[in-house]
Amino acid sequence: METKTGADWPIHEIARLAGTTSRTLRHYDDVGLLAPSRIGHNGYRYYDRGSLVRLQRILLLRDLGLGLPAIGEVLANERDVAAALRAHVAWLRQERDRLARQIASVERTIESVNEGGDPMAENMFDGFDHTQYKDEVEERWGKDAYTRSDAWWRGLGPAGQAEWKERSAALIRDWNKAFEAGETADGEAAQELARRQVEWLTTVPGTPAATPGQDVKAYVTGLGEMYVADARFGANYGGPGGAAFVRDALAVYAQRNLGG
Amino acid sequence: METKTGADWPIHEIARLAGTTSRTLRHYDDVGLLAPSRIGHNGYRYYDRGSLVRLQRILLLRDLGLGLPAIGEVLANERDVAAALRAHVAWLRQERDRLARQIASVERTIESVNEGGDPMAENMFDGFDHTQYKDEVEERWGKDAYTRSDAWWRGLGPAGQAEWKERSAALIRDWNKAFEAGETADGEAAQELARRQVEWLTTVPGTPAATPGQDVKAYVTGLGEMYVADARFGANYGGPGGAAFVRDALAVYAQRNLGG
DNA sequence: CTTGACCTTGACGCAGCGTCAACCTTTAAC
DNA sequence: GTTAAAGGTTGACGCTGCGTCAAGGTCAAG
């Protein structure tokens, strides 16, 4: 008969010593993170001092937020603890920043709701007036452009117009999402959005993007600049920062995929 | 035969319009968040403009970080959008702060590892020297106290000493965990820790907590004050802030349970 | 012998879909 | 008319880290 303070302890005892639960210990056994030092003839798990030290390291790392697989690697290599922690802290910072952006976004939404500019309103698309850009379109791309564009627009009919507006709304939403998620302008997500944006542009006749043979690259790049320069457009993308993000993504996309 | 721009669209189409996937739409159907407006004789799902509006609200709220059940409630009540968002932003802030504390904690650990004071070291308990507090114990609680305490300590034997050190280490770890998790001193978690701390104190003979009839309440409260005043103890609890947390928790516990 | 405390394995649950799998329908093409 | 490509359907597993029963063995005490 062993004394209780002998070579090892039963599972509940060691759990108490380390400040965790027996269920957790069984889980660590299942996933191969910490095996009992001994298993009784009855299947009972027993842990000795070595297991306890390892367990305490595991719990320390877990409290720092590392995942169990990551902990397993750290304990296996034993060398790059600091490296693993540095990588981990970088990830933590990203998460914190993402949360900060999301908080800002929610706060903007609350404000917007309070001011009655309810983004949840059923008629959120009905504020979209195609003709409000008449003068500007004519000035930028000529009178023909507006006439053609307007004819196209009327030709779509109510359902078609709704669909077009929805696609543009989805695009704006996704740009915002990517921006707030901290994507980089030359990253995969942003570039996919740029592709969608260009594809979407081609549905509008009279624009260079829809007219083969024109300098699409310059057009798309210039469009991005306009998003930044024109506050009305920029507002759709979450302010100057968001517009700049869109501009950069479009510039990268144009450079890589549109010609030259 | 309906025209494509008619009353409703098939699942993939509406997913594209809203910028999500058909799988997501089926999931929303499964959990009762968004049902198709019509189901074909073949089982196909079709969505109309109403579904689309609802879907866009769902996606908007989801991007703000709300869970699907919460979104369901908001859309059902329709009124307290702002209230739900305010509650949500409070939760987001908590998370952000928790991450900030965890970042600080990981950074401290990195520093500690770099300086060689490796908290992962196998012999992390061996730096614990019971006799280092000799003079102090004598000064505070008299010579007898130290003698008794020392005899008790030697009497534990190596295994018993190890266990005792481990329990104290676990306590310190759990206090830190609770502090960094943003627990309040009078909260459930902190009070449970206080209970453990007092229970643990009673294992040390010669202290009032282990001696019935003494003023345990004053002792425990005073102990907390000492944690704050004495930097050596405070260091174990993550600096002054952590020590103050422990002190407050102990004070609340003593007030509530160690009655007068 | 019984009670009660502690042990075992097994399996569901959670959040939100991604990702096969196995099997129809519709549509466009030949 | 047939066929192959799309796109639809209902399951069901996977991911993270255990909490939480459930059903049933083991062990020390009365």
Side-chain angles (χ1 to χ4, degrees), chain B residues 9 26 29 32 66 76 105 115-116 121 129 162 173 218 224 228 237 256 259:
Chain B
W9 307 269
R26 270 183 267 124
D29 189 10
L66 276 81
S105 183
E115 289 172 4
D129 179 7
R173 206 169 49 70
V228 175
Y237 298 100
R256 287 186 189 163

Side-chain angles (χ1 to χ4, degrees), chain A residues 5 9 13 16-19 49 52-53 56-57 59-65 75 82 85-86 88-89 92-93 95-96 99-100 102-103 105-107 109-110 113-114 119-122 125 159 162-163 166-167 170 173-174 177, chain B residues 5 9 13 16-19 49 52-53 56-57 59-65 75 82 85-86 88-89 92-93 95-96 99-100 102-103 105-107 109-110 113-114 119-122 125 159 162-163 166-167 170 173-174 177:
Chain A
T5 52
W9 307 271
E13 190 70 14
R16 206 177 47 75
L17 281 177
R49 180 153 314 281
L52 180 52
V53 170
Q56 276 163 332
R57 292 186 190 176
L59 295 177
L60 169 66
L61 293 173
R62 190 195 61 175
D63 288 345
L64 294 180
L75 291 187
L85 289 181
R86 270 192 296 274
H88 180 57
V89 86
L92 285 176
R93 267 195 273 262
E95 278 301 292
R96 183 199 51 188
L99 279 179
Q102 200 166 52
I103 288 169
S105 182
V106 175
E107 282 172 341
T109 306
I110 291 176
V113 167
N114 285 342
M120 306 279 300
E122 190 142 354
F125 294 120
E163 175 173 339
E166 278 142 17
R167 287 187 66 184
R173 206 170 47 69
D174 291 348
K177 201 191 310 184
Chain B
T5 53
W9 307 269
E13 189 72 12
R16 205 176 49 75
L17 282 177
R49 182 153 311 282
L52 181 51
V53 169
Q56 276 164 331
R57 292 185 190 176
L59 294 178
L60 169 65
L61 293 173
R62 191 195 61 176
D63 288 346
L64 294 180
L75 292 187
L85 289 181
R86 271 193 296 274
H88 180 57
V89 87
L92 284 176
R93 266 196 273 263
E95 278 301 292
R96 184 199 51 187
L99 279 180
Q102 200 167 52
I103 288 170
S105 183
V106 174
E107 282 172 340
T109 306
I110 291 176
V113 167
N114 285 341
M120 306 281 298
E122 190 141 357
F125 293 119
E163 177 174 340
E166 278 141 17
R167 287 186 67 182
R173 206 169 49 70
D174 291 348
K177 203 192 306 186

Side-chain angles (χ1 to χ4, degrees), chain A residues 130-131 134 144-156 161 205:
Chain A
H130 180 67
T131 65
K134 181 175 189 293
D144 272 7
Y146 180 73
T147 308
R148 271 199 311 277
S149 166
D150 191 53
W152 158 80
W153 178 251
R154 295 184 194 287
L156 285 178
Q161 288 176 3

